[in-house]
Amino acid sequence: NAGVTQTPKFQVLKTGQSMTLQCAQDMNHNSMYWYRQDPGMGLRLIYYSASEGTTDKGEVPNGYNVSRLNKREFSLRLESAAPSQTSVYFCASRREGIREQYFGPGTRLTVT
Amino acid sequence: RKEVEQDPGPFNVPEGATVAFNCTYSNSASQSFFWYRQDCRKEPKLLMSVYSSGNEDGRFTAQLNRASQYISLLIRDSKLSDSATYLCVEDNAGKSTFGDGTTLTVKP
């Protein structure tokens, strides 16, 4: 039981490049989330998915797109990376009715 | 005004001290509250849920005051291993809002 896994762990992009961050959970959770965390700050919600086939915007969705590929996987795409998107990205999941979120180890992204 | 506000600290305390963190929230409709712990460069992990009646887990006590819209975390008999950032979280209809965190350093 791996919990929540994220790939890659580290990534450096040039401005304008695109990439997809992958997230998978093996806990059969319905809800999945993408957050970003900038230095010295808390987590800010980018997008979330309450169930397979649905996605909704969070607090800071601009510049990102998501896909809930199936119940296990929730990917985050940066179409044209900008230096302001340099951050640590965390994926999380939660079972319906249970409030605790389980987080992946994070992806550290630098955009130059 | 931020939805969830915490004193960022840092709090530097000696081993064995008692330390308290407060957090205020602005959305009176928020349903659930939590404290998460985050170690340096690691993912957040749930420390405890917060109930109106207050709840205790070993050396940790959490309280919720809905009338004043704040929650608190009390750590008794601090250990070196308690050094971390503590994140206050409110949850409303499945969406969570995190505070910026309070950093605690426990020194020998």
Side-chain angles (χ1 to χ4, degrees):
Chain A
N1 192 334
V4 180
T5 57
Q6 292 184 236
T7 55
K9 285 189 167 54
F10 301 93
Q11 183 70 51
V12 178
L13 292 177
K14 293 188 190 311
T15 297
Q17 287 185 315
S18 62
M19 80 161 294
T20 300
L21 280 63
Q22 307 286 354
C23 174
Q25 52 91 10
D26 61 1
M27 296 175 283
N28 203 35
H29 288 173
N30 288 323
S31 301
M32 297 187 73
Y33 305 82
W34 275 106
Y35 295 92
R36 61 177 287 174
Q37 186 175 33
D38 299 324
M41 297 182 68
L43 281 72
R44 289 184 293 169
L45 182 64
I46 305 171
Y47 270 94
Y48 69 104
S49 171
S51 62
E52 185 179 350
T54 67
T55 60
D56 285 287
K57 293 178 180 179
E59 181 187 352
V60 288
N62 291 343
Y64 306 95
N65 284 302
V66 290
S67 295
R68 183 74 183 266
L69 304 168
N70 47 55
K71 193 170 187 179
R72 287 188 66 248
E73 298 172 290
F74 189 37
S75 62
L76 178 72
R77 182 159 179 85
L78 287 71
E79 290 291 350
S80 178
S84 60
Q85 294 178 304
T86 293
S87 191
V88 180
Y89 291 83
F90 289 104
C91 177
S93 71
R94 173 159 63 185
R95 193 188 322 162
E96 188 173 357
I98 303 296
R99 296 300 183 184
E100 178 178 3
Q101 292 185 58
Y102 295 83
F103 286 85
T107 294
R108 282 157 180 77
L109 175 67
T110 301
V111 183
T112 61
Chain B
R1 184 187 167 190
K2 296 181 78 169
E3 288 187 44
V4 178
E5 295 207 52
Q6 296 182 246
D7 181 347
F11 285 69
N12 297 304
V13 303
E15 268 187 297
T18 295
V19 61
F21 307 139
N22 289 324
C23 167
T24 58
Y25 63 94
S26 58
N27 185 356
S28 58
S30 293
Q31 299 163 343
S32 308
F33 303 88
F34 307 89
W35 285 101
Y36 277 74
R37 171 191 168 127
Q38 186 174 28
D39 293 297
C40 188
R41 300 178 68 79
K42 300 277 194 176
E43 71 272 24
K45 292 185 178 177
L46 181 70
L47 178 66
M48 58 197 306
S49 302
V50 188
Y51 305 116
S52 295
S53 55
N55 49 306
E56 188 173 313
D57 183 1
R59 298 181 292 107
F60 299 84
T61 300
Q63 294 272 1
L64 165 63
N65 184 319
R66 285 195 182 272
S68 301
Q69 294 185 208
Y70 79 83
I71 71 173
S72 64
L73 177 67
L74 182 76
I75 305 175
R76 291 181 297 279
D77 188 23
S78 301
K79 312 289 184 193
L80 296 176
S81 57
D82 294 334
S83 297
T85 297
Y86 292 84
L87 302 170
C88 169
V89 183
E90 66 158 11
D91 190 275
N92 190 15
K95 288 173 62 175
S96 297
T97 302
F98 286 73
D100 288 345
T102 298
T103 299
L104 171 67
T105 301
V106 181
K107 300 189 172 180

